[in-house]
Amino acid sequence: MRLRTPHALLATTAALAAAVVAPQPAAAAVPAPGAYYVQSVTTGLNAADSGGAVEQHRPRGNEDRQQWQLKPSGSAYLLENTDAPGSCLGRGGEQAATVACTGPDAPWEITPLGADRYTLKAPGTTRHLTVAPKPSGANYPARLAVGGAGDLAAWYLTPVNPATAPMPPQDRRTLDQVTFLTTHNAYANGADGGFAPPFVNLAPNQTRGITRQLTDGVRGFMLDIHQTPDGAILCHNSCTLVSRPVALWVDLQRMVDFLEAHPDQFVTVFLEDYVDPGVLRAELARVDGLADVLYRPDLTGVRQNGWPTMAELTAANDRLLIFTDHSRSSDQAAGLTRDSFGVMYQREWTVENYWSMGSGIGSSDWSCYSRWYDAGTNIPLTRTEPGFRPLFVMNHFRDVPLTTTAGTDNGKLADRARRFCEPAARKKPTFLAVDHYDRGDPASAVATLNSYTYP
């Protein structure tokens, strides 16, 4: 018999905060001189020198002229581009521009807003460095402006090389401090069953089944589910012509059985979700023991108090977290929300970078920017709320999961996390999602990230 461990019932979830949240209480001092990214609080994008113009670009680490050396200049400060000594982030009329560091348009008064946020103002004026207002139905313009105060004039000064701290002991580390190896399209492995029409089956994302992935240390699983008369089925794009398809409940049962055999482990599932909420609820009801281990952050005060420690999760038997990429609004219209039966809406609890680094071969794009930044959505990787930091899903794979390319890319995983994605999100990845996890030793990158905490 499976014994149910009660979950703590505290506060219900607060409403999802806007991308720019209310100022935090304690204002920090201006950072020490050093190399920084000038990062918009609104968009999460970085100020970059672009041929004399200053534009907001996707974070690209030490590429793309995005790093600025902060230097005191009398009672003000200069931001000198590290790739162009003598050239500073400054003003050209009503627009931001790179100017001579010795000129009158280079200095900025930097004023803390709290929680590492700042304004940059032209000395003796009310003119601030700002993101240009967003036209209706479009992204924010790339070119940065010089204008009034307000949310668009709030900036992070994100250190290029932040001072990290050792990971706390096992009994004190919180969920958002830990990094988990995660498999992209974990079901598309060819070992557990068919997942796509025959020609797509020739390019699986993984080559080992779910049970073997669990044994090998995978703790995050990205699964695509589609609706058929048989319920929620694991397929890529569609289930038409798929031989031997696997049902979602089958893989979830494998995970629950693993957790019962390993009471100190924690597993997360990400659903790319194309089924009706009632169908998903019925599918989960088929999993024996799921309710015993299902973690409900919406019922345990996480938004108010932050993420619990791994020890607390283990003690409460809260060890399986399930996310859906489905929208809450469409479920509300249908009359049944997925979090009412324990499936969390991912955009309310996580941030996630764009899913592809490029095609299966050739050059790659290592820039790290939000998957949810477009004309209709703005959830920057830097999003935070009072008392709560979303978990960070870091995607590290390409359009086509070629084995040799994935092996090479996985060998660069820790480097991309440190130089590109951590400063882009201002946090450590919680989930490192890869194709062919058995190539290039991504487990070593996970071990490296689990040796320290990001400030």
Side-chain angles (χ1 to χ4, degrees), residues 54-206:
V54 176
E55 299 177 343
Q56 54 171 352
H57 287 183
R58 299 168 179 172
R60 293 181 63 91
N62 59 339
E63 303 174 4
D64 198 36
R65 303 167 74 93
Q66 297 184 4
Q67 296 182 358
W68 306 89
Q69 194 75 24
L70 179 68
K71 300 179 176 181
S73 178
S75 61
Y77 295 87
L78 299 174
L79 287 159
E80 183 179 32
N81 193 274
T82 57
D83 292 312
S87 180
C88 280
L89 191 162
R91 303 167 294 280
E94 299 305 310
Q95 293 183 311
T98 47
V99 300
C101 293
T102 55
D105 289 321
W108 297 96
E109 291 179 359
I110 300 180
T111 303
L113 291 175
D116 296 330
R117 302 172 188 200
Y118 303 88
T119 60
L120 280 67
K121 185 172 70 72
T125 76
T126 58
R127 300 168 66 233
H128 294 74
L129 179 68
T130 183
V131 174
K134 179 180 181 179
S136 177
N139 292 335
Y140 290 98
R143 185 75 185 260
L144 295 178
V146 180
D151 289 342
L152 297 181
W155 300 91
Y156 294 115
L157 296 177
T158 301
V160 170
N161 295 301
T164 60
M167 181 69 93
Q170 290 277 357
D171 61 340
R172 295 214 308 269
R173 58 188 62 173
T174 56
L175 177 61
D176 57 324
Q177 291 177 321
V178 181
T179 300
F180 300 95
L181 179 59
T182 300
T183 43
H184 171 235
N185 287 350
Y187 66 97
N189 53 59
D192 293 329
F195 60 89
F199 65 95
V200 179
N201 278 335
L202 298 176
N205 298 89
Q206 313 297 335

Side-chain angles (χ1 to χ4, degrees), residues 236-307:
H236 189 68
N237 292 334
S238 105
C239 297
T240 305
L241 302 179
V242 176
S243 62
R244 300 184 302 116
V246 177
L248 171 64
W249 78 267
V250 172
D251 275 353
L252 290 181
Q253 189 68 66
R254 291 178 171 125
M255 297 174 196
V256 170
D257 291 346
F258 174 86
L259 290 172
E260 287 203 335
H262 301 83
D264 61 340
Q265 295 300 301
F266 186 90
V267 167
T268 305
V269 173
F270 300 88
L271 299 178
E272 187 173 316
D273 189 344
Y274 302 99
V275 307
D276 293 333
V279 171
L280 180 58
R281 180 174 62 181
E283 190 78 8
L284 299 185
R286 300 177 69 181
V287 182
D288 187 25
L290 175 64
D292 295 344
V293 295
L294 187 63
Y295 175 38
R296 294 288 303 268
D298 58 329
L299 300 181
T300 52
V302 169
R303 285 207 115 80
Q304 296 76 30
N305 305 311
W307 296 99

Side-chain angles (χ1 to χ4, degrees), residues 404-417:
T404 54
T405 304
T408 300
D409 288 342
N410 290 346
K412 302 174 181 178
L413 182 55
D415 185 51
R416 184 183 182 217

